[in-house]
Amino acid sequence: MKKIRWNLAITVLLLAVTTIISFCFFHFGNKYTANITVLYTLALILIALKTSGYIYGIIASIFCVFAVNYFFSYPYFRLNFTLDGYPVTFALITGAVTTSLKQQQQAISEREKQLAEADKEKLRANLLRAVSHDLRTPLTSIIGSADSYLENREELSETECTELVSNIREDSEWLLNMVENLLTVTRINSSSADKVKKPA
């Protein structure tokens, strides 16, 4: 609702300002309708850039055609659609410009989303590689110490057995600590993503 009000306010404000400027330009300067048309075209472009959705550009285009016809074309303050060319041409040009700008904006927005998603995937892959490496190191050490203990238990002294078991315990604790840290980071990221998704 807030977005709709904002879009309407921008559309009305730009059309009102353009109409006032056009009156000043038309009555105190050159009474050439083409110059007024250029002003309204500029207003339409700004409306297309500042609002979301096609409806505001379409409404503004219709208003501009009627405004140029009613206020700035002879006979003044009367609608006269028997004039050749400009109302249709004006509507077509401004409609095409508005549509083109919207399509470009959507294409840019889509491209930005794709790039952001690609960066996210790349970061995920790099993180997974780093985590895999960090997990593999203590696991390899634990497996090696366990194998040494099981295969050479008869030949090892009490001190050597204790040292192997201590190494296994230390690496296991380090591994457990790392997994807990990863789970904490995952929970924080999940919580942050949920907050971003919630509407204001």
Side-chain angles (χ1 to χ4, degrees):
M1 191 65 186
K2 189 178 179 183
K3 196 172 186 181
I4 292 172
R5 282 200 298 265
W6 167 257
N7 288 331
L8 282 172
I10 287 291
T11 303
V12 171
L13 180 65
L14 283 170
L15 290 176
V17 169
T18 303
T19 302
I20 291 167
I21 293 170
S22 297
F23 265 111
C24 294
F25 186 75
F26 190 74
H27 291 289
F28 298 109
N30 192 336
K31 294 181 181 290
Y32 191 47
T33 308
N35 293 334
I36 306 300
T37 305
V38 170
L39 289 174
Y40 276 108
T41 302
L42 178 60
L44 284 171
I45 292 170
L46 290 173
I47 288 166
L49 290 172
K50 299 295 181 183
T51 60
S52 57
Y54 293 96
I55 187 69
Y56 304 100
I58 293 168
I59 291 169
S61 296
I62 293 168
F63 173 84
C64 291
V65 170
F66 277 89
V68 171
N69 188 297
Y70 188 78
F71 295 120
F72 306 108
S73 299
Y74 186 82
Y76 304 118
F77 299 101
R78 288 183 186 174
L79 291 174
N80 181 12
F81 288 109
T82 61
L83 297 173
D84 290 336
Y86 91 84
V88 175
T89 304
F90 180 72
L92 288 174
I93 289 172
T94 52
V97 168
T98 304
T99 303
S100 177
L101 284 169
K102 289 293 181 188
Q103 288 173 345
Q104 286 176 14
Q105 278 185 325
Q106 286 178 345
I108 290 168
S109 176
E110 190 62 34
R111 180 65 178 156
E112 285 175 353
K113 282 180 187 174
Q114 289 174 354
L115 288 172
E117 194 59 37
D119 286 342
K120 240 187 251 183
E121 287 299 325
K122 188 176 179 182
L123 184 63
R124 238 184 246 124
N126 289 338
L127 182 62
L128 186 60
R129 274 195 292 271
V131 168
S132 298
H133 178 268
D134 288 343
L135 290 175
R136 193 181 294 119
T137 302
L139 282 172
T140 303
S141 177
I142 289 168
I143 292 167
S145 296
D147 285 344
S148 295
Y149 179 80
L150 291 172
E151 291 172 6
N152 305 306
R153 185 171 44 185
E154 304 294 333
E155 301 167 11
L156 295 173
S157 66
E158 187 69 26
T159 305
E160 289 172 328
C161 287
T162 303
E163 186 179 349
L164 283 173
V165 173
S166 295
N167 288 340
I168 292 171
R169 181 184 174 84
E170 285 174 10
D171 287 333
S172 299
E173 286 177 347
W174 187 91
L175 191 59
L176 178 62
N177 188 41
M178 184 180 178
V179 170
E180 285 177 349
N181 288 339
L182 284 171
L183 289 173
T184 302
V185 169
T186 304
R187 277 195 296 270
I188 291 169
N189 287 342
S190 178
S191 176
S192 300
D194 288 341
K195 284 180 183 177
V196 169
K197 286 177 185 177
K198 283 181 182 177

